[in-house]
C-alpha cells in the first residue's frame, strides 16, 4: 500500500473517529457542525466509463467491479462574499480507496447542491483536483493505466435524496483526468452510492 493510500485512509479514519469526541450526540452536534456540514461513506464500481457501465460481462458489472470504498467530508460553506457570488458551494475533501490494489484517489474541491423543486431530492456537482496511486506513463506494467500527471482535474456528479433531516443517499459518478495537458491522459471514472450524515 502506497504512502498516499495510507494517508488517505488515515484522513478518513481520523475524521470519522473524531466525530464522537467533538459531538455531544448525533442530534446535538455543536460545535462540530460549525465546521463540518456532512460526512459521507460509500461503496462503488471501479473503472466505469462515460456510459456508466463497466466494459465487461454482467458478472463483472455486479460483482468483480464493486471494489471501491469512499469517504467524504463536506464542510460548512464559509461566510464569505466570494462563496455567495459563486452559489455557496461546500468545500470538501475525500478519498476513493480501491480494495483490489488498483488505483485510489485523494481529492479536494467545491460541491454545489441544488434541491429539485419542493421535494427531498437534489442534484449536485463537484469540481476540484485529485491525486492518485497509479502509474505515470511508461512505468505502468501491462494491464495498468498510464496516467500523465500526478495531479489531475476532478469532477463528480450526483443525484440524491434527503432520507431524513440528517441522513442523505447519493448516487455519484466521479471522473479524474488531466484534459490532455500531459503526455498521457488515461482518466478514471467510478460510480457509487454514498450515505451521508448532515449536522
Amino acid at each position: 500500500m502506497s504512502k498516499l493510500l495510507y494517508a488517505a485512509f488515515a484522513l478518513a479514519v481520523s475524521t470519522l473517529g473524531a466525530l464522537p469526541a467533538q459531538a455531544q450526540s448525533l442530534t446535538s452536534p455543536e460545535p462540530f457542525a460549525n465546521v463540518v456540514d456532512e460526512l459521507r461513506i460509500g461503496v462503488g464500481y471501479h473503472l466505469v466509463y462515460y456510459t456508466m457501465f463497466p466494459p465487461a460481462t454482467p458478472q463483472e458489472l455486479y460483482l468483480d467491479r464493486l471494489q471501491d470504498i469512499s469517504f467524504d467530508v463536506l464542510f460548512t460553506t464559509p461566510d464569505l462574499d466570494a462563496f455567495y457570488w459563486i452559489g455557496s458551494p461546500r468545500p470538501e475533501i475525500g478519498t476513493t480507496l480501491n480494495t483490489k490494489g488498483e488505483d485510489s484517489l485523494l481529492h479536494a474541491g467545491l460541491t454545489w447542491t441544488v434541491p429539485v423543486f419542493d421535494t427531498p431530492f437534489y442534484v449536485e456537482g463537484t469540481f476540484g483536483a485529485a491525486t492518485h496511486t497509479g502509474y505515470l506513463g511508461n512505468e505502468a506494467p501491462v494491464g495498468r493505466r498510464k496516467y500523465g500527471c500526478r495531479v489531475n482535474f476532478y469532477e463528480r456528479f450526483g443525484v440524491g435524496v434527503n432520507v431524513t433531516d440528517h441522513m442523505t443517499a447519493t448516487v455519484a459518478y466521479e471522473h479524474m483526468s488531466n484534459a490532455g495537458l500531459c503526455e498521457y491522459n488515461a482518466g478514471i471514472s467510478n460510480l457509487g452510492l454514498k450515505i451521508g450524515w448532515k449536522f
Side-chain angles (χ1 to χ4, degrees):
M1 187 180 293
S2 71
K3 292 181 179 178
L4 175 62
L5 194 55
Y6 274 123
F9 182 74
L11 172 66
V13 170
S14 63
T15 300
L16 293 176
L19 177 59
Q22 298 188 45
Q24 295 176 5
S25 72
L26 292 179
T27 58
S28 179
E30 292 82 9
F32 192 69
N34 293 333
V35 177
V36 174
D37 185 62
E38 185 177 356
L39 295 178
R40 292 179 179 175
I41 184 171
V43 295
Y45 290 106
H46 191 70
L47 284 183
V48 177
Y49 291 88
Y50 286 108
T51 58
M52 292 195 177
F53 289 98
T57 66
Q59 179 184 5
E60 289 179 315
L61 171 62
Y62 294 112
L63 296 176
D64 294 351
R65 304 312 300 172
L66 190 60
Q67 302 177 355
D68 292 339
I69 299 173
S70 65
F71 302 93
D72 302 288
V73 182
L74 290 94
F75 297 95
T76 303
T77 301
D79 187 16
L80 299 171
D81 287 343
F83 275 80
Y84 294 127
W85 293 337
I86 61 174
S88 300
R90 293 180 290 175
E92 73 145 48
I93 57 173
T95 182
T96 300
L97 304 174
N98 184 266
T99 62
K100 299 293 185 180
E102 296 190 29
D103 305 330
S104 296
L105 308 179
L106 181 64
H107 59 82
L110 298 175
T111 295
W112 285 261
T113 303
V114 180
V116 179
F117 303 111
D118 190 21
T119 73
F121 296 95
Y122 57 85
V123 294
E124 67 179 30
T126 299
F127 300 94
T131 186
H132 57 89
T133 61
Y135 294 92
L136 296 179
N138 290 324
E139 70 181 35
V142 175
R144 295 298 297 270
R145 303 178 78 75
K146 296 181 179 181
Y147 296 100
C149 304
R150 183 56 64 189
V151 178
N152 297 268
F153 295 108
Y154 176 86
E155 59 262 9
R156 188 178 69 242
F157 304 97
V159 177
V161 59
N162 292 298
V163 180
T164 69
D165 288 342
H166 294 288
M167 184 179 180
T168 66
T170 309
V171 175
Y173 174 73
E174 67 177 1
H175 177 73
M176 180 195 75
S177 67
N178 62 52
L181 298 179
C182 300
E183 182 179 0
Y184 295 91
N185 188 26
I188 186 171
S189 299
N190 305 310
L191 176 68
L193 173 65
K194 299 174 182 286
I195 302 300
W197 182 263
K198 297 185 70 174
F199 297 96

